[in-house]
Structures are given as structure tokens and as C-alpha cells.
Amino acid sequence: MANIGMTTSQMNKPSVGLFVTCLVDTFRPSVGFASIKLLEDAGCQVTIPEQQTCCGQPGYNPGDYESAAKVAKHTIPLFLDFDYLVAPSGSCAGMIKHHYPKLLKDEPEWYDKAKKLSEKTFELTSFLHDVLQVKPKSTGTVSSETYTFHDSCAGLRELNIKDQPRSLLKSFNNIEIEELQNTDECCGFGGTFCAKMPHISDAMVTDKLLAAEATGATTLLGGDMGCLLNIAGKASRQESNLKVRHVAEVLAGQLDAPAIGCALTSTKEPIK
């Protein structure tokens, strides 16, 4: 995604470094653009550091702390001078906020920088709701879709993200969520877990899909692309009519792109 710089008129606005995330950049750039719109509409000056890479989770989760620390040391200087780091992902935001300081605790200089960045790192909906306290507004009439919501493990447990996206959906789009049963249960993605234990992962995402379909909702929303890709992939293989989207796209009113895992020619036709 292109770098978005600062103009003179933006000097008095909160500066936000947008951590796009690997999955958004690779599979769903529309989530990045929706995030930019939401942040700019809320009065922020948004910059995307072009040298950003992964947050380091692929190494950190299996225990390769050395490689994860190298990624952290690359990431921290890119974002340290912004007022805030914001990510459209509870998983990546949680990694930077909670695990960078743990990784670098034995290196005082880097630990201090990691703590400083940690204190101003937020997941997108949490930042809009809790920090900026955005006022109710409408981005336009939402279609006749009905919505359910999947709470990701990292966002829910590490960052206490649950009410924030629901409140924003209500105030921005007048959306009431049809809650799915056991919404706080893992979808089975879990980073490398889905690769190491595919049969268990498949059973978990099957349960998640069935629970979502049972709500009668036409679209499932969430805040983490890993979860959404996992659920959308299962829905496609099951030939389910359930559509899957990132919450930022709906909040921003940017629904022109097909749902995740759907063909470009249709928002309903799954990719075979």
C-alpha cells in the first residue's frame, strides 16, 4: 500500500502510524483503505511506514524468540515517533503491545522503546471507540444484510475488545448484531496451530460456521483477517451462503469489494 504523508494543514492532528498487517496487505487491501478512511474521518493524520513488515508472530508463537526479536527491533523505530500505532487486527496489536516488551526485557534500551510503543498501540475499533470516542455518525444506508460477529481470541483476551465494534456498528450503521453461540470460542485458525493440528482446527472452524449460520445472519464480521480467512475458506468449501467481511469495511461504508473468499464477479459466489 502507498505511503500517505503529512501536509502542513495536518500538523495539529493526532499522528497515527497504521500497521497494515501482512494478511491485510496481501489478501485484503480494502481493509487498509477502510481503516485509513475511518481514522482520517475521525481527525487523524495517517501515515503508513513503507518499510513495515510482519509483527513477528509467526516466529514468536512457535518459540523462535530470536527471529521475533529481530522483527520487533525493525518495527519499533518505524512507529515510535507517532502519537499512536493503530492496527486493524487484535492479534498484531496484541503482539506489539504485550509481547514486544517481553521479548526485549533483557535489553534495557530496547525494552524502554518497546514499552513506550506498547503504551500507544491500539486495535482499530478500540482506538476509535475508547481513545478518540468518535461521535455517532452514519456512513450511509447499509444494505438489507444481517450480521453476526466473531470475537477473535487475541482481541478478546489480550485487549478486551468486545463491546467496541458492536457499539460502533450500532452508532455508525444502525446494525444490531445477531450473536452467535459461543462467540468467544476460537475459530481454529490460531496462527501455526491450524497447520500443526489441521483436523482439530477443521472441527473448530466447522463449529464456528454452523454457529454463524444458525443465527440466520447473512454476513459474519470480525476484526482479525486470520480468523476471517479461515472462516471464509470453510464457508467456501461447504458452499455456504454466509459472507465474511472485516468490520472496518462495514464501518467505513466500503462494501464494493466482494466478500472475503468470493469471486470478483459476485459478492455471493464462492471461489471454487
Side-chain angles (χ1 to χ4, degrees):
M1 299 183 65
N3 182 60
I4 296 183
M6 179 175 61
T7 65
T8 303
S9 63
Q10 293 174 316
M11 293 290 288
N12 61 341
K13 298 181 178 182
S15 64
V16 170
L18 182 65
F19 189 85
V20 177
T21 84
C22 299
L23 294 181
V24 167
D25 190 41
T26 303
F27 295 104
R28 197 70 173 178
S30 57
V31 172
F33 292 115
S35 300
I36 293 168
K37 182 180 188 303
L38 289 166
L39 291 166
E40 290 185 336
D41 285 352
C44 297
Q45 165 225 320
V46 183
T47 302
I48 303 174
E50 292 182 345
Q51 292 180 314
Q52 66 178 284
T53 57
C54 176
C55 68
Q57 283 189 86
Y60 183 79
N61 290 341
D64 184 359
Y65 301 141
E66 182 178 353
S67 71
K70 289 179 180 178
V71 174
K73 290 176 181 179
H74 172 78
T75 302
I76 290 170
L78 298 177
F79 289 90
L80 200 56
D81 290 336
F82 294 107
D83 294 329
Y84 301 98
L85 181 156
V86 176
S89 163
S91 178
C92 296
M95 176 68 189
I96 296 167
K97 190 174 189 69
H98 293 299
H99 300 289
Y100 276 17
K102 294 178 184 178
L103 271 173
L104 303 171
K105 62 182 175 60
D106 295 328
E107 300 181 60
E109 181 180 353
W110 279 108
Y111 174 77
D112 290 344
K113 292 178 181 179
K115 284 292 291 182
K116 182 179 178 181
L117 184 60
S118 167
E119 291 166 0
K120 53 187 178 182
T121 293
F122 294 90
E123 180 271 344
L124 176 66
T125 62
S126 175
F127 182 68
L128 293 171
H129 185 274
D130 300 336
V131 179
L132 297 183
Q133 299 181 0
V134 291
K135 303 298 182 184
K137 60 183 291 188
S138 175
T139 57
T141 303
V142 174
S143 67
S144 58
E145 303 287 340
T146 53
Y147 296 88
T148 189
F149 199 94
H150 166 67
D151 296 295
S152 72
C153 295
L156 182 65
R157 293 171 175 82
E158 289 191 335
L159 302 176
N160 297 313
I161 297 167
K162 186 175 178 68
D163 295 335
Q164 297 95 325
R166 290 164 171 81
S167 177
L168 292 171
L169 287 164
K170 176 62 177 176
S171 63
F172 274 48
N173 311 89
N174 199 31
I175 289 174
E176 295 282 359
I177 293 297
E178 301 292 334
E179 298 290 352
L180 56 85
Q181 187 176 13
N182 301 325
T183 184
D184 59 346
E185 290 186 0
C186 179
C187 71
F189 176 64
T192 56
F193 170 81
C194 63
K196 291 182 176 180
M197 300 184 178
H199 298 299
I200 297 175
S201 175
D202 182 64
M204 294 170 74
V205 73
T206 298
D207 289 344
K208 183 65 65 173
L209 177 61
L210 291 173
E213 291 176 329
T215 67
T218 58
T219 302
L220 178 140
L221 303 177
D224 268 284
M225 278 302 301
C227 302
L228 297 177
L229 286 166
N230 189 39
I231 297 168
K234 186 63 177 180
S236 177
R237 292 189 294 275
Q238 295 291 102
E239 298 186 353
S240 171
N241 289 323
L242 183 74
K243 294 187 283 291
V244 178
R245 289 188 179 274
H246 193 285
V247 64
E249 296 174 304
V250 175
L251 288 173
Q254 296 186 353
L255 302 176
D256 292 337
I260 297 169
C262 289
L264 294 175
T265 55
S266 170
T267 58
K268 295 183 179 180
E269 180 185 351
I271 296 174
K272 302 297 185 181

